[in-house]
Amino acid sequence: MSKNWYIVHTYTGYEGKIERTIRQMLEAGELDSAVVSDVKVPVEEVTEIKDGKKRTRKNKFLPGYIMMEMDLPDLGWKDTCAKIRRIQGVTGFVGTSPSQRPRPITDEEAKNLLLKSGEIKGEKTPRIKQNYSIGDQVKITDGPFATFSGSVEEIDATKGKLRVMVQIFGRAAPVEVDLLQVEKLV
């Protein structure tokens, strides 16, 4: 037996409630803590600029799903899985019927999900909600080119950068800025 991550399908919006219920069941001894070792709702931080203010919020990037780390025994796995399925809002384990043993996700998939949610220490950067398109007029609000205005020429969503054409000394010049350093002009 070894610990693996499993995905449990839930009603959308019930993820946090189900996570709390499972943790309460573990504390009360209704679920064996040797079998169920962790439960997580995968969330990511999203940063957006609205009305000139930078806001960071947490988004579920797998709405309707939670992750459970379990060490399912060969005998008695049905009892544990049945207790989890009976929680209000749980529809079952992903990829299996109630009579089948749940299948874990691969270690690579689990690592990617945990990295994205910031559970594993790594290159965790908040995702920036992008609402710019090429040709949009923007005002630079931060950095050495603050107060300059220009049009968006190029968008690099992976790096979170924009190339903006601004007028410097009467000439158009490309300036690369972070998505958080600009605001859209209406």
Side-chain angles (χ1 to χ4, degrees), residues 142-162:
D142 189 26
F145 297 100
T147 71
F148 281 88
S149 296
S151 63
V152 176
E153 294 290 314
E154 185 180 322
I155 301 169
D156 188 349
T158 56
K159 291 181 181 176
K161 302 276 185 187
L162 294 176

Side-chain angles (χ1 to χ4, degrees), residues 124-145:
K124 185 200 175 230
T125 56
R127 186 173 64 87
I128 299 169
K129 184 176 178 184
Q130 177 195 340
N131 54 357
Y132 301 104
S133 55
I134 293 177
D136 284 348
Q137 293 296 313
V138 295
K139 177 182 176 187
I140 301 173
T141 58
D142 189 26
F145 297 100

Side-chain angles (χ1 to χ4, degrees), residues 9-16 18 60 62-65 89-91:
H9 188 258
T10 67
Y11 294 158
T12 303
Y14 280 67
E15 302 91 346
I18 292 167
K60 295 175 192 137
L62 289 177
Y65 298 94
V90 172
T91 59

